[in-house]
Amino acid sequence: MNPFYQRARFVTAVAEMDRMPPDQGREVAFAGRSNAGKSSAINTICHRRQLARTSKTPGRTQQVVFFALDETRRLVDLPGYGYAKVSEAVKLQWQRLMASYLERRRSLAGLVVVMDIRHPLTAFDRQMLEWGRRAELELLLLLTKSDKLKRSAAHAELDRVAKAVAADGRHIRVELFSAQTRSGTEPVHSVLDRWLGVGD
């Protein structure tokens, strides 16, 4: 268990760029389709059961939510995309907010894209990856709910996704993850430590 991430505490939830915390220090954002298990992944990574709100209704996260780890480092929960039963106008508003955040936020050190291992690389996932690439962000793909597949099938899917996202010649790290078994937590911590400068 990594005690640093247990320090995570809610700071604010906003729907506009100018209401975000000061653009200083370092932060890592989490993005994912609304039913991919993003909030559960954040809770598992932080060893906290109710830090990021989970819901049986996809699309619960409708704002950009900031969690402080210390005075200079943060985790950020972006609005779930793709599946939420909301109006097209609201979806467009979310998209504009996320695109602006990813392209303009100077303290953003990396982007974690959370995907259900049974339904990876949807059009929405690819859009997030493209935004991340355009913003020249470090990228990590988490294939969540890996416990739903047999070990061999999960690793085969891991290889398939890794090859698919490497097609443009850029290496993107892909990891298996399960909130149920907590597998994959340590590799995620090692990536976040590097991006956030933990231990520097």
Side-chain angles (χ1 to χ4, degrees), residues 56-170:
K56 292 183 179 179
T57 304
R60 179 81 178 267
T61 306
Q62 298 184 9
Q63 296 174 302
V64 179
V65 184
F66 289 82
F67 303 102
L69 295 167
D70 60 17
E71 293 78 10
T72 62
R73 288 171 280 213
R74 299 170 295 277
L75 299 181
V76 183
D77 188 4
L78 297 178
Y81 55 84
Y83 187 86
K85 294 179 180 178
V86 296
S87 70
E88 285 302 315
V90 171
K91 286 184 181 180
L92 288 172
Q93 180 184 344
W94 290 357
Q95 287 185 350
R96 283 194 295 269
L97 177 63
M98 285 194 289
S100 295
Y101 169 78
L102 294 172
E103 291 169 4
R104 293 164 48 191
R105 189 79 174 170
R106 294 187 304 275
S107 55
L108 183 58
L111 175 65
V112 180
V113 180
V114 178
M115 300 185 290
D116 186 329
I117 192 170
R118 299 165 298 179
H119 314 287
L121 295 177
T122 66
F124 302 100
D125 298 325
R126 293 182 183 276
Q127 183 179 40
M128 292 305 303
L129 290 171
E130 182 55 31
W131 279 340
R133 287 189 180 106
R134 266 189 279 170
E136 299 182 345
L137 293 171
E138 295 266 15
L139 293 165
L140 169 65
L141 306 192
L142 280 194
L143 298 181
T144 60
K145 308 182 185 182
S146 61
D147 56 290
K148 302 293 186 183
L149 299 182
K150 291 183 178 179
R151 182 179 175 84
S152 59
H155 281 275
E157 194 62 15
L158 173 71
D159 291 341
R160 187 186 73 81
V161 171
K163 288 176 182 175
V165 298
D168 66 355
R170 181 179 177 186

Side-chain angles (χ1 to χ4, degrees), residues 46 62 83 145 180 182 187 189 196:
C46 294
Q62 298 184 9
Y83 187 86
K145 308 182 185 182
Q180 288 293 322
R182 296 185 175 272
H189 283 161
L196 293 169

